[in-house]
Every structure is written in C-alpha cells, then in structure tokens.
Amino acid sequence: MGTHLELRGLTKYYAHADGELPVLADIDLDIARGQLVSLVGPSGCGKTTLLRIIAGLESASTGDLRLDGQPLTGCDPRVGLVFQEFALFPWRRLIANIDVGLEIQGVPKARRRAAAREYIRSFGLEGFENKYPKELSGGMKQRVAIARTLIANPRIVLMDEPFGSLDSQSRNNMQNFLLRIWAERRDTILFVTHNVDEAVYLSDRIAVFGPRPSRILQIFDVSLDRPRDRTSPEANRIRREILSLLHQTES
Amino acid sequence: MTAKRMLPLLAVLLAWQAMSSAGFIPAYKLPSPLEVLRGLRDLITLGMPPGHQLAGHAYHSLLRVFWGYLIAAGVAIPLGIVMGWSRMLNAALDPIIEMVRPIPPLAWIPIAILWFGIGNQSAAFIIFLGAFFPILLNTVNGVRTIDPILIEAARTLNASRRFILLKVLLPGAFPSIFTGLRIGLGIGWMTLVAAEFTGVRQGYGLGYMIMTARDIQRPDQIVAGMVVIGAIGFTIDAGLHLLERVLLRWR
Ligand SMILES: Nc1ncnc2c1ncn2[C@@H]1O[C@H](COP(=O)(O)OP(=O)(O)OP(=O)(O)O)[C@@H](O)[C@H]1O
Ligand SMILES: [Mg+2]
C-alpha cells in the first residue's frame, strides 16, 4: 500500500514577543493507509500544532507535507479533524451537527439526513436526533464530533485527545467504540493522546515526541492482536519502554 | 404576570386615587386613575383631535416604527457581520460610526425634514437612526465573541466563505444580535414618540395625539396616551423576549 501521509522535515516557529518560539524542530513521519497511529509526548511539545498543520488550519514554517503523493496545502477535504473540545455547533440539533459536512458539500437534504441516520444508529445516538449539544453527555458529544468528521469521508482522520475529557469508564467504552468503527471502515487515523495506556491499547504504531522544540524520538510498532488485553506482558513491556523514554526526556 | 407581582402596582394606583379624591393632588396637574381611564375611553371612542381615534394613532406610530426598524435591522445585521469578520472593513468604518453614533437621533429631525419633508419617511428615518447603532454594535460584538474553534471546525469541513458567514457567524452571533434588536426597538419606540411631537402630516401618531391633548388642556388624555405608549412598548418587548426564548432554545 505504501506511504499514505508523508511528513518531511516539518518545522514550526511561532512569532513571539522576544523572537521566535520553535515548536516543531524536524518532524519526519510516514503513515500507511488504514493504520491507526498515536502521537504521545510531553505537554506543550506541539502535538496539537502538528495536527493543525496537517488539517490546514496552520501552515508549517518549512518542510513538506503530502497525502498520496500530492502536497497538502490549506484545508483539504481528504483530511478530517476531530477537535478535543468537540467544537459542535451549539445552535444545530444533533442530526444537523452530524450532516453539516454533507450540507457543505451540497448533498440534498433528504440524502444527507438519511446518511446521518445511519451514523446515529451505528453510533448509538437514537432518540437524540433533535437534541441540542448542551443536552448531550460528554461521550455523546464526542461521538457526534467523530460522526461529523467521518460522514464527510476524509481519507485520513486526525483526532486530538478525543477522549481526554471523559471519565475512565466512558473512555474505555469510547476506545472500544472507536476500534469497532475503525475495524469496519479501515480509516487512517492519527491519534494524539496523553495516555500511554490508551495509545498501547489502540494503535498499530506509536510515535513518541520529545520536548519542545520537538522531534520524534522513537516509533513503536504494536503488533498485538485485537481485542487486546490491557495488562498482557507484551502491552506492559511497550508501556514501560514508552514511559521510561518520556521520563528520560523530561529530566 | 402573576397576581402577586401586580400587588404593588395596585397599591400605588389605589393610593393615587385616594389622594386625588381627597383633593391632595390637583386634577389639572395629575388626573386620578379613574379620570385617566375616562380619558382612555374618550381616546378610543371619540378620538383626539375628535375623529382621530386611538387605534389610528397607534397604527400610524407602529407603521413608522416598523419601517424604520426593519430597515435598521436589514442594514445593521449584514454590515455588523462583515465588520465583525473583516478587520480591514472594521478599521475603515469604525471611525465613521463612532463619529455619527453620539449624535442623538432627535438632533437629526431638522435635517430629516429637509431631506424627507414632514411625514412618515422622516419619522422612519429617525427611528432607523435610533435602532441602527445598538443593532450594529451588538452584531459586531456577537461575531467577535464567537468561539474561533467553530469557524475552524467549519473550515476543516471545507466550508465556503459564504457558508461561514451565513451558517456559522450569523447563528453564532444571534444571541448578541437579539440583544441589539431589543435595545434598538426600545430606542426606536422612544425616539418615535418624540419625533411625532414635532409634527406629522396625516394627523395621526401617538406623540402627536398627546401634544394635541396638551394643546386643549386634557391632562387625563395626556396621561392615558402615556400609558398606552408604555403598554405598547412593553408588549412589543415581551413579544421579542418570547421570540428570543423560542429561537435561542439551543443556548
Ligand atoms: N497560536 C500560537 N501562537 C504562539 N504560540 C503557540 C500557538 N499555538 C501554540 N503555541 C505554543 O506552541 C507550543 C505547542 O503547543 P501545542 O498546543 O501544539 O502543544 P501540545 O503538544 O498539543 O500540548 P498538550 O499536550 O498540552 O495539548 C506551546 O508552547 C504553545 O504555547
Ligand atoms: Mg494539545
């Protein structure tokens, strides 16, 4: 299948009061189609910045960014982003939040509503179609945010700590939920998390970032069969390695 | 309004009536509530000047407000949205607006008469000026305070500029726009009555009615007219408030 998303020598500086703040030093990363890749790293190392660059919300200072060999510039329909803060439109009902991407693409209402209903069914949101975001629980909002991104059919889905604000029970549920829909669709997913546990449970590969200005320190392949046992010796071994790597860089 | 909330008002009216009946308040200065009621009856049945009934005055006043207000909202909301969106346009227009805004709408009456003559157009123009600025400023502010992540969410879904203006900024600014609409209507209504003091061509208008009652020494009808103006203003605001609650259920 070869490389799907390709980051080469990506750097990012933010203009600051006293000079420039280098955030991303030199990022090289290749992601194959259909892989679920996690990014972990210390707080403030630029994970969100990297996702925002790939999503086209921000531009890289230097470097090269390609999807299926074509350069990525600006917001691109092939790239979808799920925001950590959900970023649902509060004035839209659940169903209209899900199908907004199709509305933007000009899909007629009857068709996009039908598509949204499919998502509502498979995401377990039946009965809430006409609720406003403020009436939904955190886990539901997160599912709506994911559905809103997936329905537009991007080739790669970026997720920024999507489950960070959920309690551990709904977090585990959402992880299994994500694995289930991913198993059906085989999207390429780039997943930012603070939680090494979560990264080991979900990912095919885990890229560990160093402190700012950051580069990728090491990439771990996780070839455990799914469904995974969170406490298997192999999972523990990978987790230990990642944690010690993160620990080293912090001191 | 509950009966309980009406109690203080009732108490004041009773006290007022008692003071008038006892001769503490001279009727030529302030008629008693009962006299005001009689004045109201005369306004409804006989009219002031005779033949010009209350309903006609209210109709003409409301018509002037309607047009002035409608045009104010129709110009201020779109302008406010693009001004909130584009820093350049805002920088260009803001100084002009800040120069014109402090001029009281009533100070425009002479020039309005010069431009439009005495009549509905002048009155509507004055109301336009009174309502325009609160609507504009609240719209600009509403757009400015929209969570930028919502605009980014739309951009990652590949929204056009038009979609962002109409389907993100407009609804997002709507709570603030509505505040502006309510303030604008209040000011417009106040301005109108004052504008009608300076004369109307048709011989209809609540402000004109009060001035005529003053000319022929009918304080009961003056006060009755004031009560009617207050009641209409209150009713319109209550209607807008209700509309706001329905339209902004998502908040
Ligand atoms: N628009 C901006 N202007 C200036 N500096 C910025 C901007 N956005 C982010 N930064 C800085 O860039 C650095 C990286 O931020 P970023 O949000 O990408 O980190 P992160 O890895 O996602 O952190 P966390 O794990 O806490 O979410 C931070 O020091 C942040 O202050
Ligand atoms: Mg972040």
Side-chain angles (χ1 to χ4, degrees):
Chain A
M1 269 190 285
T3 303
H4 184 39
L5 179 71
E6 201 180 331
L7 313 180
R8 282 282 167 278
L10 217 66
T11 68
K12 178 67 180 178
Y13 302 86
Y14 276 118
H16 240 244
D18 33 41
E20 288 177 323
L21 176 77
V23 177
L24 301 173
D26 183 13
I27 302 292
D28 284 296
L29 184 62
D30 292 314
I31 294 174
R33 185 188 299 282
Q35 272 194 333
L36 201 166
V37 177
S38 285
L39 308 180
V40 298
S43 187
C45 72
K47 304 180 294 292
T48 297
T49 303
L50 181 60
L51 288 200
R52 289 174 58 83
I53 291 171
I54 300 170
L57 295 174
E58 209 102 44
S59 53
S61 302
T62 62
D64 198 29
L65 193 63
R66 287 170 184 276
L67 188 63
D68 293 330
Q70 294 164 288
L72 266 179
T73 48
C75 290
D76 189 304
R78 296 173 296 168
V79 181
L81 174 62
V82 180
F83 292 81
Q84 173 173 9
E85 306 86 338
F86 314 131
L88 301 180
F89 300 110
W91 53 86
R92 286 179 166 251
R93 293 170 192 275
L94 182 147
I95 192 163
N97 259 296
I98 290 183
D99 75 3
V100 61
L102 298 181
E103 182 181 340
I104 288 168
Q105 291 169 16
V107 176
K109 184 160 182 175
R111 259 181 50 213
R112 61 177 202 255
R113 282 288 134 101
R117 275 197 197 92
E118 299 258 309
Y119 277 86
I120 285 169
R121 200 169 318 120
S122 65
F123 279 45
L125 294 165
E126 295 112 320
F128 294 88
E129 290 84 349
N130 292 319
K131 298 274 186 236
Y132 289 107
K134 70 161 184 190
E135 302 167 298
L136 305 173
S137 71
M140 283 179 156
K141 283 186 217 172
Q142 190 59 73
R143 274 176 280 167
V144 174
I146 294 173
R148 175 178 75 178
T149 301
L150 294 184
I151 203 171
N153 264 318
R155 300 215 201 138
I156 177 160
V157 180
L158 313 173
M159 297 187 172
D160 193 0
E161 299 193 43
F163 311 143
S165 61
L166 305 181
D167 62 79
S168 65
Q169 185 58 46
S170 16
R171 188 178 187 121
N172 286 355
N173 292 341
M174 283 301 297
Q175 288 167 355
N176 289 324
F177 170 76
L178 179 67
L179 288 176
R180 182 168 64 74
I181 53 173
W182 177 63
E184 285 166 18
R185 300 171 49 106
R186 286 284 147 186
D187 297 300
T188 310
I189 298 179
L190 193 53
F191 189 98
V192 167
T193 177
H194 262 118
N195 189 325
V196 177
D197 220 49
E198 180 168 80
V200 174
Y201 185 64
L202 295 177
S203 326
D204 295 317
R205 294 165 76 214
I206 302 172
V208 179
F209 280 56
R212 197 181 62 227
S214 60
R215 52 187 89 238
I216 293 173
L217 298 177
Q218 196 175 335
I219 293 178
F220 292 83
D221 285 295
V222 188
S223 42
L224 299 166
D225 291 333
R226 294 185 176 93
R228 288 178 179 168
D229 176 359
R230 289 174 198 266
T231 54
S232 71
E234 176 68 359
N236 280 331
R237 185 189 62 75
I238 299 172
R239 195 156 48 226
R240 196 157 45 234
E241 276 186 43
I242 295 176
L243 285 170
S244 82
L245 184 61
L246 285 171
H247 190 71
Q248 280 168 32
T249 61
E250 257 160 56
S251 46
Chain B
M1 238 188 286
T2 58
K4 219 179 190 154
R5 282 185 60 195
M6 297 294 284
L7 274 178
L9 182 65
L10 213 66
V12 169
L13 286 176
L14 279 175
W16 173 8
Q17 182 64 49
M19 303 261 281
S20 296
S21 305
F24 290 123
I25 306 176
Y28 66 89
K29 284 258 168 78
L30 183 65
S32 75
L34 286 176
E35 285 168 329
V36 171
L37 267 183
R38 274 193 292 273
L40 182 62
R41 187 199 56 201
D42 290 349
L43 285 179
I44 295 171
T45 54
L46 305 175
M48 171 57 58
H52 289 214
Q53 278 90 350
L54 179 64
H57 291 297
Y59 171 76
H60 277 87
S61 288
L62 284 170
L63 202 66
R64 292 179 189 121
V65 167
F66 178 77
W67 282 114
Y69 184 64
L70 202 70
I71 296 169
V75 179
I77 294 173
L79 187 63
I81 288 186
V82 288
M83 278 179 68
W85 174 243
S86 151
R87 301 226 161 266
M88 232 172 63
L89 199 70
N90 191 60
L93 294 182
D94 195 59
I96 304 173
I97 286 163
E98 288 309 311
M99 291 266 291
V100 180
R101 192 165 69 94
I103 304 172
L106 295 182
W108 286 84
I109 288 180
I111 197 89
I113 291 174
L114 204 63
W115 288 350
F116 302 108
I118 291 183
N120 285 346
Q121 279 182 21
S122 275
F125 178 66
I126 300 301
I127 288 149
F128 168 84
L129 287 168
F132 179 78
F133 292 104
I135 302 176
L136 179 75
L137 296 188
N138 277 286
T139 305
V140 172
N141 193 49
V143 171
R144 290 259 175 80
T145 49
I146 289 175
D147 190 347
I149 201 172
L150 295 178
I151 299 163
E152 292 184 341
R155 283 178 55 208
T156 62
L157 292 166
N158 256 48
S160 62
R161 190 173 291 250
R162 183 188 147 83
F163 186 93
I164 290 175
L165 283 174
L166 292 181
K167 298 277 178 108
V168 182
L169 299 183
L170 182 62
F174 205 63
S176 183
I177 292 176
F178 223 98
T179 305
L181 285 175
R182 281 181 68 193
I183 298 173
L185 194 63
I187 294 180
W189 186 239
M190 273 190 260
T191 315
L192 164 84
V193 175
E196 287 174 348
F197 283 175
T198 61
V200 289
R201 198 159 45 194
Q202 294 90 338
Y204 278 111
L206 293 169
Y208 169 76
M209 179 185 82
I210 290 183
M211 287 315 265
T212 316
R214 192 213 58 166
D215 290 343
I216 60 163
Q217 312 278 326
R218 285 290 302 266
D220 58 328
Q221 296 195 348
I222 296 178
V223 178
M226 288 166 63
V227 170
V228 169
I229 289 167
I232 293 178
F234 175 84
T235 308
I236 297 176
D237 190 63
L240 273 183
H241 196 55
L242 203 73
L243 191 67
E244 183 179 19
R245 285 241 300 269
V246 173
L247 291 178
L248 297 180
R249 238 178 325 162
W250 52 266
R251 267 211 302 190

